[in-house]
PDB file of all heavy atoms in Angstrom:
ATOM      1  N   GLU A 362      15.366 -19.201 -50.289  1.00  0.00           N
ATOM      2  CA  GLU A 362      15.085 -19.031 -48.861  1.00  0.00           C
ATOM      3  C   GLU A 362      15.276 -20.357 -48.137  1.00  0.00           C
ATOM      4  O   GLU A 362      15.305 -21.429 -48.736  1.00  0.00           O
ATOM      5  CB  GLU A 362      13.669 -18.487 -48.640  1.00  0.00           C
ATOM      6  CG  GLU A 362      12.569 -19.401 -49.131  1.00  0.00           C
ATOM      7  CD  GLU A 362      11.191 -18.835 -48.851  1.00  0.00           C
ATOM      8  OE1 GLU A 362      10.973 -18.293 -47.751  1.00  0.00           O
ATOM      9  OE2 GLU A 362      10.323 -18.939 -49.735  1.00  0.00           O
ATOM     10  N   PHE A 363      15.402 -20.238 -46.823  1.00  0.00           N
ATOM     11  CA  PHE A 363      15.510 -21.393 -45.935  1.00  0.00           C
ATOM     12  C   PHE A 363      14.578 -21.086 -44.773  1.00  0.00           C
ATOM     13  O   PHE A 363      14.955 -20.448 -43.800  1.00  0.00           O
ATOM     14  CB  PHE A 363      16.958 -21.555 -45.483  1.00  0.00           C
ATOM     15  CG  PHE A 363      17.193 -22.757 -44.593  1.00  0.00           C
ATOM     16  CD1 PHE A 363      16.629 -23.987 -44.877  1.00  0.00           C
ATOM     17  CD2 PHE A 363      18.014 -22.652 -43.467  1.00  0.00           C
ATOM     18  CE1 PHE A 363      16.860 -25.090 -44.061  1.00  0.00           C
ATOM     19  CE2 PHE A 363      18.254 -23.745 -42.645  1.00  0.00           C
ATOM     20  CZ  PHE A 363      17.670 -24.972 -42.953  1.00  0.00           C
ATOM     21  N   SER A 364      13.298 -21.502 -44.921  1.00  0.00           N
ATOM     22  CA  SER A 364      12.272 -21.008 -44.011  1.00  0.00           C
ATOM     23  C   SER A 364      11.164 -22.044 -43.831  1.00  0.00           C
ATOM     24  O   SER A 364      11.213 -23.147 -44.383  1.00  0.00           O
ATOM     25  CB  SER A 364      11.672 -19.708 -44.556  1.00  0.00           C
ATOM     26  OG  SER A 364      10.893 -19.994 -45.717  1.00  0.00           O
ATOM     27  N   THR A 365      10.142 -21.651 -43.059  1.00  0.00           N
ATOM     28  CA  THR A 365       8.960 -22.490 -42.833  1.00  0.00           C
ATOM     29  C   THR A 365       7.747 -21.975 -43.606  1.00  0.00           C
ATOM     30  O   THR A 365       6.617 -22.378 -43.303  1.00  0.00           O
ATOM     31  CB  THR A 365       8.618 -22.528 -41.326  1.00  0.00           C
ATOM     32  OG1 THR A 365       8.367 -21.189 -40.865  1.00  0.00           O
ATOM     33  CG2 THR A 365       9.724 -23.156 -40.514  1.00  0.00           C
ATOM     34  N   SER A 366       7.936 -21.117 -44.579  1.00  0.00           N
ATOM     35  CA  SER A 366       6.793 -20.612 -45.353  1.00  0.00           C
ATOM     36  C   SER A 366       6.123 -21.764 -46.099  1.00  0.00           C
ATOM     37  O   SER A 366       6.794 -22.691 -46.572  1.00  0.00           O
ATOM     38  CB  SER A 366       7.251 -19.537 -46.344  1.00  0.00           C
ATOM     39  OG  SER A 366       8.204 -20.063 -47.248  1.00  0.00           O
ATOM     40  N   PRO A 367       4.785 -21.740 -46.219  1.00  0.00           N
ATOM     41  CA  PRO A 367       4.065 -22.851 -46.862  1.00  0.00           C
ATOM     42  C   PRO A 367       4.479 -23.034 -48.317  1.00  0.00           C
ATOM     43  O   PRO A 367       4.840 -22.082 -49.002  1.00  0.00           O
ATOM     44  CB  PRO A 367       2.595 -22.424 -46.755  1.00  0.00           C
ATOM     45  CG  PRO A 367       2.561 -21.428 -45.654  1.00  0.00           C
ATOM     46  CD  PRO A 367       3.876 -20.711 -45.696  1.00  0.00           C
ATOM     47  N   ARG A 368       4.425 -24.267 -48.770  1.00  0.00           N
ATOM     48  CA  ARG A 368       4.672 -24.601 -50.172  1.00  0.00           C
ATOM     49  C   ARG A 368       3.373 -25.155 -50.750  1.00  0.00           C
ATOM     50  O   ARG A 368       2.595 -25.807 -50.059  1.00  0.00           O
ATOM     51  CB  ARG A 368       5.770 -25.648 -50.319  1.00  0.00           C
ATOM     52  CG  ARG A 368       7.013 -25.409 -49.474  1.00  0.00           C
ATOM     53  CD  ARG A 368       7.795 -24.168 -49.889  1.00  0.00           C
ATOM     54  NE  ARG A 368       9.195 -24.253 -49.523  1.00  0.00           N
ATOM     55  CZ  ARG A 368       9.741 -23.630 -48.499  1.00  0.00           C
ATOM     56  NH1 ARG A 368       9.008 -22.865 -47.719  1.00  0.00           N
ATOM     57  NH2 ARG A 368      11.043 -23.761 -48.256  1.00  0.00           N
ATOM     58  N   GLN A 369       3.153 -24.916 -52.045  1.00  0.00           N
ATOM     59  CA  GLN A 369       1.902 -25.364 -52.631  1.00  0.00           C
ATOM     60  C   GLN A 369       2.104 -25.912 -54.042  1.00  0.00           C
ATOM     61  O   GLN A 369       3.105 -25.627 -54.707  1.00  0.00           O
ATOM     62  CB  GLN A 369       0.872 -24.243 -52.644  1.00  0.00           C
ATOM     63  CG  GLN A 369       1.319 -22.968 -53.329  1.00  0.00           C
ATOM     64  CD  GLN A 369       0.340 -21.836 -53.106  1.00  0.00           C
ATOM     65  OE1 GLN A 369      -0.785 -22.027 -52.640  1.00  0.00           O
ATOM     66  NE2 GLN A 369       0.742 -20.625 -53.439  1.00  0.00           N
ATOM     67  N   TYR A 370       1.116 -26.698 -54.436  1.00  0.00           N
ATOM     68  CA  TYR A 370       1.132 -27.336 -55.752  1.00  0.00           C
ATOM     69  C   TYR A 370      -0.285 -27.278 -56.306  1.00  0.00           C
ATOM     70  O   TYR A 370      -1.263 -27.622 -55.615  1.00  0.00           O
ATOM     71  CB  TYR A 370       1.589 -28.789 -55.627  1.00  0.00           C
ATOM     72  CG  TYR A 370       1.346 -29.641 -56.867  1.00  0.00           C
ATOM     73  CD1 TYR A 370       2.310 -29.736 -57.860  1.00  0.00           C
ATOM     74  CD2 TYR A 370       0.154 -30.347 -57.031  1.00  0.00           C
ATOM     75  CE1 TYR A 370       2.094 -30.514 -58.993  1.00  0.00           C
ATOM     76  CE2 TYR A 370      -0.072 -31.123 -58.149  1.00  0.00           C
ATOM     77  CZ  TYR A 370       0.896 -31.206 -59.131  1.00  0.00           C
ATOM     78  OH  TYR A 370       0.680 -31.968 -60.245  1.00  0.00           O
ATOM     79  N   PHE A 371      -0.412 -26.838 -57.561  1.00  0.00           N
ATOM     80  CA  PHE A 371      -1.720 -26.832 -58.221  1.00  0.00           C
ATOM     81  C   PHE A 371      -1.540 -27.251 -59.660  1.00  0.00           C
ATOM     82  O   PHE A 371      -0.625 -26.790 -60.354  1.00  0.00           O
ATOM     83  CB  PHE A 371      -2.362 -25.445 -58.179  1.00  0.00           C
ATOM     84  CG  PHE A 371      -3.628 -25.363 -59.001  1.00  0.00           C
ATOM     85  CD1 PHE A 371      -4.822 -25.848 -58.502  1.00  0.00           C
ATOM     86  CD2 PHE A 371      -3.612 -24.824 -60.281  1.00  0.00           C
ATOM     87  CE1 PHE A 371      -5.985 -25.798 -59.255  1.00  0.00           C
ATOM     88  CE2 PHE A 371      -4.773 -24.773 -61.046  1.00  0.00           C
ATOM     89  CZ  PHE A 371      -5.969 -25.261 -60.533  1.00  0.00           C
ATOM     90  N   GLU A 372      -2.404 -28.136 -60.120  1.00  0.00           N
ATOM     91  CA  GLU A 372      -2.418 -28.519 -61.530  1.00  0.00           C
ATOM     92  C   GLU A 372      -3.845 -28.756 -61.963  1.00  0.00           C
ATOM     93  O   GLU A 372      -4.626 -29.424 -61.278  1.00  0.00           O
ATOM     94  CB  GLU A 372      -1.599 -29.782 -61.789  1.00  0.00           C
ATOM     95  CG  GLU A 372      -1.596 -30.175 -63.264  1.00  0.00           C
ATOM     96  CD  GLU A 372      -0.871 -31.480 -63.552  1.00  0.00           C
ATOM     97  OE1 GLU A 372      -1.170 -32.468 -62.850  1.00  0.00           O
ATOM     98  OE2 GLU A 372      -0.031 -31.500 -64.457  1.00  0.00           O
ATOM     99  N   SER A 373      -4.216 -28.183 -63.090  1.00  0.00           N
ATOM    100  CA  SER A 373      -5.507 -28.471 -63.732  1.00  0.00           C
ATOM    101  C   SER A 373      -5.230 -29.016 -65.119  1.00  0.00           C
ATOM    102  O   SER A 373      -4.298 -28.570 -65.797  1.00  0.00           O
ATOM    103  CB  SER A 373      -6.371 -27.213 -63.808  1.00  0.00           C
ATOM    104  OG  SER A 373      -5.722 -26.195 -64.555  1.00  0.00           O
ATOM    105  N   LYS A 374      -6.048 -29.967 -65.543  1.00  0.00           N
ATOM    106  CA  LYS A 374      -5.766 -30.642 -66.814  1.00  0.00           C
ATOM    107  C   LYS A 374      -7.064 -31.006 -67.510  1.00  0.00           C
ATOM    108  O   LYS A 374      -8.010 -31.502 -66.900  1.00  0.00           O
ATOM    109  CB  LYS A 374      -4.941 -31.901 -66.562  1.00  0.00           C
ATOM    110  CG  LYS A 374      -4.529 -32.659 -67.821  1.00  0.00           C
ATOM    111  CD  LYS A 374      -3.596 -33.802 -67.487  1.00  0.00           C
ATOM    112  CE  LYS A 374      -2.229 -33.298 -67.071  1.00  0.00           C
ATOM    113  NZ  LYS A 374      -1.267 -34.395 -66.850  1.00  0.00           N
ATOM    114  N   LEU A 375      -7.101 -30.743 -68.823  1.00  0.00           N
ATOM    115  CA  LEU A 375      -8.223 -31.122 -69.674  1.00  0.00           C
ATOM    116  C   LEU A 375      -7.713 -32.172 -70.649  1.00  0.00           C
ATOM    117  O   LEU A 375      -6.841 -31.890 -71.479  1.00  0.00           O
ATOM    118  CB  LEU A 375      -8.751 -29.899 -70.418  1.00  0.00           C
ATOM    119  CG  LEU A 375     -10.085 -30.049 -71.159  1.00  0.00           C
ATOM    120  CD1 LEU A 375     -11.217 -30.312 -70.166  1.00  0.00           C
ATOM    121  CD2 LEU A 375     -10.374 -28.803 -71.983  1.00  0.00           C
ATOM    122  N   GLU A 376      -8.248 -33.398 -70.528  1.00  0.00           N
ATOM    123  CA  GLU A 376      -7.789 -34.502 -71.371  1.00  0.00           C
ATOM    124  C   GLU A 376      -8.898 -34.927 -72.325  1.00  0.00           C
ATOM    125  O   GLU A 376     -10.067 -35.021 -71.936  1.00  0.00           O
ATOM    126  CB  GLU A 376      -7.359 -35.693 -70.521  1.00  0.00           C
ATOM    127  CG  GLU A 376      -6.151 -35.423 -69.649  1.00  0.00           C
ATOM    128  CD  GLU A 376      -5.579 -36.685 -69.042  1.00  0.00           C
ATOM    129  OE1 GLU A 376      -5.101 -37.543 -69.797  1.00  0.00           O
ATOM    130  OE2 GLU A 376      -5.616 -36.808 -67.816  1.00  0.00           O
TER     131      GLU A 376
END
Side-chain angles (χ1 to χ4, degrees):
E362 62 178 318
F363 182 43
S364 70
T365 59
S366 60
R368 315 294 205 257
Q369 55 189 348
Y370 167 90
F371 173 80
E372 181 184 50
S373 60
K374 183 174 289 185
L375 191 65
E376 295 192 64

